[in-house]
Amino acid sequence: MRKIAVLTSGGDAPGMNAAIRAVVRKGIFENLEVYGVSHGYEGLINNQIKKMELGDVGDIIHRGGTKLYSARSEEFLTLAGQNKAVANLKNLGIEGLIVIGGDGSYRGASRLSELGIKTIGIPATIDNDIAGTNETIGYDTALNTIVDMIDKIRDTATSHERTFIIEVMGRDSGQLALNAGLAAGAETIFIPERQTKMSDVAARIQSGLERGKKHSLIVLAEGVMSAESCSLELGKYINIETRLSVLGHIQRGGKPTAKDRVLGSRFGAYAVELLLDGQTDVGTSIKDDKMYFVELKSVYNQKKNYDSSIYQLSKELSI
Ligand SMILES: Nc1ncnc2c1ncn2[C@@H]1O[C@H](COP(=O)(O)OP(=O)(O)OP(=O)(O)O)[C@@H](O)[C@H]1O
Ligand SMILES: O=P(O)(O)OC[C@H]1O[C@](O)(CO)[C@@H](O)[C@@H]1O
Ligand SMILES: [Mg+2]
């Protein structure tokens, strides 16, 4: 293999730049030509593919977002779009592609592998919803951002003795809500993976009030319901004033933590090694601080488990 390419796809995640840098520099170190594809699969279809040099990835390791831009591509869901992408890669003599993204991006990478391009996935999404790896790039940064923001909300919640409902990202996954809730000492955590009865939440708030506790923090994963619906539902069981805070895309930005930079760098270099070993249709993974690879299909056909003991612990510690 002489020529490889790299792209970022799906929601961006802090640490993607560290991974791009590692792919480019490790590739060049191994005497490969490395190409950068802008705008994910959309750029692959539109031939936005450029050769990258060592200097092209200078001064990005500490930046959030992705230098290669990201996109969600409708056209790539069609066979015609996928064929265009493959033709553009083949025209340039590119045999291997590294896809940095989430589970949807992994499905796209698998399709390309079936169509004759060797593909390696790197898990990158703040949601940490990818099976087969303990962590994804961007999760640690987003978690720290959320905890920082909840700390700020706690200050004002305490001063005004209020209940706050804080909506965090995670359509199908409660990883962010669960761990941010524990780290920020939230009284209640709602996650899509498990049902929480509103009557129980109201009862906990009521018993807290009776013990003289006047403020309460509720962390809600967006996939469960909106903060507004949560407030209306809660109002059916208890008569308290609530304030809502939807954290939104602030959670996806910001400079990556050291952990995400290390993870991005290790995954990027490892993905190049996997291509050189002739692997395809696999993704990088980390467990017990070691690099592994897993079949992409086994990743996106599985739902990542959440740790119910963390949920239980947060309940025990926040009475
Ligand atoms: N089944 C599929 N076949 C081919 N391509 C797909 C498929 N599913 C998704 N893709 C491609 O991958 C892109 C990114 O997928 P998606 O929007 O689900 O984000 P993701 O990679 O899961 O990241 P995140 O969920 O963290 O934002 C899609 O826009 C589409 O172009
Ligand atoms: O930026 P968009 O396209 O609105 O996507 C938001 C979604 O992307 C994610 O941030 C994952 O990248 C989810 O947590 C969130 O639901
Ligand atoms: Mg996804």
Side-chain angles (χ1 to χ4, degrees), residues 30-310:
E30 299 287 355
N31 296 314
L32 298 170
E33 279 185 26
V34 186
Y35 290 75
V37 183
S38 309
H39 305 98
Y41 293 125
E42 199 67 14
L44 213 47
I45 292 171
N46 298 327
N47 215 7
Q48 294 177 281
I49 309 172
K50 282 208 179 105
K51 188 161 174 253
M52 295 184 88
E53 306 299 344
L54 292 172
D56 291 328
V57 288
D59 204 25
I60 63 168
I61 194 164
H62 60 306
R63 296 189 198 281
T66 160
K67 185 183 169 86
L68 289 174
Y69 301 93
S70 193
R72 302 189 198 273
S73 170
E74 290 287 321
E75 196 180 348
F76 190 76
L77 295 173
T78 66
L79 182 60
Q82 293 161 9
N83 282 335
K84 272 194 214 168
V86 171
N88 287 337
L89 287 170
K90 289 199 168 158
N91 276 343
L92 288 166
I94 296 169
E95 295 166 83
L97 175 70
I98 294 173
V99 171
I100 306 171
D103 56 332
S105 304
Y106 269 26
R107 287 175 197 274
S110 251
R111 282 298 298 138
L112 289 175
S113 184
E114 283 159 14
L115 295 171
I117 302 291
K118 291 206 182 324
T119 52
I120 308 292
I122 294 182
T125 166
I126 64 163
D127 290 353
N128 197 23
D129 60 351
I130 300 193
T133 183
N134 280 353
E135 295 220 338
T136 57
I137 294 172
Y139 171 65
D140 185 62
T141 306
L143 190 58
N144 279 287
T145 302
I146 294 169
V147 170
D148 186 41
M149 288 189 284
I150 300 180
D151 288 349
K152 292 185 166 91
I153 289 171
R154 176 186 277 276
D155 288 344
T156 176
T158 311
S159 306
H160 288 265
E161 301 174 320
R162 276 173 173 155
T163 294
F164 264 83
I165 301 172
I166 303 147
E167 184 186 311
V168 305
M169 279 187 169
R171 283 166 296 192
D172 309 308
S173 165
Q175 297 272 337
L176 283 172
L178 184 59
N179 290 290
L182 178 63
E187 278 73 15
T188 304
I189 301 171
F190 284 97
I191 55 173
E193 292 89 343
R194 106 181 252 153
Q195 264 227 313
T196 302
K197 277 196 188 160
M198 203 54 91
S199 53
D200 290 349
V201 175
R204 272 164 73 83
I205 295 177
Q206 186 61 47
S207 88
L209 284 171
E210 282 158 16
R211 282 183 292 113
K213 186 169 183 167
K214 290 182 180 139
H215 75 270
S216 183
L217 299 175
I218 299 174
V219 177
L220 165 71
E222 63 179 348
V224 179
M225 64 184 127
S226 68
E228 204 168 339
S229 307
C230 184
S231 168
L232 289 173
E233 274 300 304
L234 186 61
K236 291 181 187 164
Y237 297 92
I238 187 168
N239 185 23
I240 48 161
E241 205 188 354
T242 52
R243 287 287 186 274
L244 316 183
S245 196
V246 180
L247 299 189
H249 286 79
I250 287 170
Q251 295 164 90
R252 280 228 307 253
K255 69 177 194 165
T257 57
K259 193 171 179 187
D260 275 329
R261 297 181 204 190
V262 169
L263 193 61
S265 302
R266 290 180 75 188
F267 275 164
Y270 184 51
V272 173
E273 284 170 11
L274 289 172
L275 277 180
L276 288 172
D277 282 352
Q279 294 289 345
T280 185
D281 210 9
V282 297
T284 63
S285 130
I286 187 163
K287 275 180 211 160
D288 301 327
D289 207 33
K290 294 212 166 48
M291 296 281 115
Y292 295 89
F293 64 91
V294 280
E295 283 189 11
L296 294 183
K297 285 186 180 61
S298 77
V299 171
Y300 55 74
N301 287 328
Q302 241 187 88
K303 194 160 165 46
K304 186 168 192 157
N305 287 331
Y306 81 101
D307 187 346
S308 59
S309 71
I310 295 183

